[in-house]
Amino acid sequence: MPSAASGYAAHSAQTPLAPFSFERRDPGPRDVAIDILFCGVCHSDLHTARSEWDGTLFPCVPGHEIVGRVTAVGGEVADLSPGDTVGVGCMVDSCRTCASCRDGEEQYCEGTGFVGTYNGDDPVMGGHTLGGYSDRIVVDRDFVLRVRHDEADLAAVAPLLCAGITTYSPLRHWKVGPGHKVGVVGLGGLGHMGVKIARAMGAEVVAFTTSPGKRDDALRLGAHDVVVSKDAEQMAAQANSFDFILNTVAASHDLDRFMRLLKRDGTMTLVGVPATPHPSPAIGELVFRRRQLAGSLIGGIAETQEMLDFCREYGLTADVEVIAPDRINEAFDRMERGDVKYRFVIDMAPLRAG
Ligand code: NAP
Ligand code: ZN
Ligand code: ZN
């Protein structure tokens, strides 16, 4: 018997999110039922709710930066109990048998593809999955993370479930550490976590922003230097000096201006997924210094747990502005304008209060 849940949904790309009632499955033997305490607001939520990418299924309940409390577990779940604090990120299932799943890289599942926390095909209930802008969720144990941060930090932990892992994973994959000069482009939800994590990994970190007003914040977040990317002179001073650049920008822009900043053999990894394509990169910028342009998608489940534990060890959380659920449309508009420092997080308490 499914049971009632409530949240906020977009019913079309043109209409604001509105209160929405729906059903969650009862926990099966491998499931964990979770009361959602906080859910971060990722730019991907906005891209999806407004159908900026193809394929949004309506009604759409976004949200994949979930921190909550376990309320019940299925009979085969031995290592979680009611009362435990847990997280759920961008995925709630995958095929588990393909090469990527076996490697712990479920985000690249080439069997069925991973099941998104929202806008995925719901393997149990049918229809499509509904995400974390809601009071509760039921998720397979294998896709539930343990949260070990202090209780007072939980709102600021929620963004780690997407913004944290999406920046941690490429920084690890490209082996960023002491002796590396690393650029982080775009100081939004992802970028501000990228700065904190790259600094904790021991790299020299330079933040690139289009917003001169974010300069002091970038230094406070851990950047050694800040470059206003619209300033040609400041950009030229950084030419050929970076080992790695993490580009989190949510809009189409000229990539060559950043490719030029890489050393020979340097890599720029794109994690931003703009609604319209970037202008084609100049091939000369790549071939003459054997530079690489790459992409990266969130991170695997085991790596997400590793990231959460790394952030706890280094005292890292997101800088957040906590909002009530009924302020979500205002938050989307402000995120679109770049007016967020540096992640909105929805406190779900008003939803549970009815
Ligand atoms: P966000 O909080 O809105 O931050 C994006 C930042 O990009 C802005 O704060 C701004 O920083 C910069 N920016 C925005 N528009 C720009 C423009 N026209 N020109 C130059 N810079 C601009 O978004 P987010 O949540 O961090 O997400 C960033 C992107 O990553 C989105 O496209 C999202 O869908 C994608 N994403 C990808 C993955 C993945 O797995 N690959 C996971 C999560 C999100 P400044 O003010 O500092 O310039
Ligand atoms: Zn996200
Ligand atoms: Zn798979």
Side-chain angles (χ1 to χ4, degrees), residues 8 321-332 334 344:
Y8 270 71
E321 181 176 339
V322 178
I323 58 166
D326 62 3
R327 286 187 55 214
I328 182 58
N329 293 301
E330 184 194 328
F332 270 13
R334 283 182 53 197
F344 289 111

Side-chain angles (χ1 to χ4, degrees), residues 50-173:
R50 295 188 177 170
S51 226
E52 293 176 358
W53 296 331
D54 284 341
T56 303
L57 301 164
F58 293 101
C60 171
V61 177
H64 57 206
E65 292 184 337
I66 297 168
V67 166
R69 200 93 68 200
V70 175
T71 56
V73 297
E76 293 173 21
V77 179
D79 60 341
L80 285 175
S81 317
D84 288 350
T85 306
V86 292
V88 178
C90 303
M91 302 184 278
V92 290
D93 211 342
S94 70
C95 90
R96 301 157 194 243
T97 56
C98 73
S100 292
C101 284
R102 286 200 311 271
D103 286 347
E105 304 270 22
E106 299 87 355
Q107 71 278 28
Y108 302 114
C109 174
E110 60 256 31
T112 52
F114 74 84
V115 178
T117 303
Y118 61 83
N119 209 50
D121 293 330
D122 190 321
V124 181
M125 296 276 280
H128 59 277
T129 53
L130 301 167
Y133 294 5
S134 58
D135 58 351
R136 50 197 211 82
I137 192 165
V138 179
V139 179
D140 187 288
R141 165 66 189 101
D142 293 345
F143 289 79
V144 175
L145 290 310
R146 267 189 191 281
V147 171
R148 300 186 173 97
H149 282 73
D150 291 345
E151 188 72 18
D153 290 335
L154 296 184
V157 168
L160 301 181
L161 275 304
C162 175
I165 185 59
T166 302
T167 50
Y168 180 91
S169 182
L171 291 167
R172 271 278 180 262
H173 183 78

Side-chain angles (χ1 to χ4, degrees), residues 111-262:
T112 52
F114 74 84
V115 178
T117 303
Y118 61 83
N119 209 50
D121 293 330
D122 190 321
V124 181
M125 296 276 280
H128 59 277
T129 53
L130 301 167
Y133 294 5
S134 58
D135 58 351
R136 50 197 211 82
I137 192 165
V138 179
V139 179
D140 187 288
R141 165 66 189 101
D142 293 345
F143 289 79
V144 175
L145 290 310
R146 267 189 191 281
V147 171
R148 300 186 173 97
H149 282 73
D150 291 345
E151 188 72 18
D153 290 335
L154 296 184
V157 168
L160 301 181
L161 275 304
C162 175
I165 185 59
T166 302
T167 50
Y168 180 91
S169 182
L171 291 167
R172 271 278 180 262
H173 183 78
W174 276 276
K175 299 185 169 49
V176 162
H180 288 120
K181 185 174 175 187
V182 172
V184 177
V185 186
L187 215 57
L190 266 56
H192 96 290
M193 285 313 307
V195 168
K196 291 186 188 202
I197 293 171
R199 175 68 186 254
M201 288 176 174
E204 179 191 347
V205 182
V206 180
F208 292 87
T209 180
T210 58
S211 313
K214 293 182 183 173
R215 186 185 164 79
D216 290 349
D217 278 350
L219 296 171
R220 177 180 54 77
L221 295 166
H224 294 88
D225 199 0
V226 184
V227 171
V228 176
S229 52
K230 290 182 283 198
D231 183 324
E233 224 169 278
Q234 284 186 40
M235 290 291 278
Q238 302 285 337
N240 306 316
S241 68
F242 284 85
D243 298 283
F244 184 73
I245 297 177
L246 183 64
N247 187 327
T248 75
V249 174
S252 163
H253 63 284
D254 176 5
L255 302 177
D256 296 336
R257 300 179 64 244
F258 297 101
M259 293 307 293
R260 267 174 224 133
L261 308 189
L262 293 170

Side-chain angles (χ1 to χ4, degrees), residues 295-315:
S296 182
L297 180 66
I298 42 179
I301 292 297
E303 192 176 41
T304 305
Q305 187 65 63
E306 178 189 305
M307 175 278 307
L308 284 168
D309 295 342
F310 175 92
C311 287
R312 178 168 175 270
E313 184 184 339
Y314 285 87

Side-chain angles (χ1 to χ4, degrees), residues 18-32:
F20 178 60
S21 297
F22 58 101
E23 292 186 324
R24 294 286 192 200
R25 68 179 187 254
D26 275 347
R30 297 279 316 145
D31 281 339
V32 180

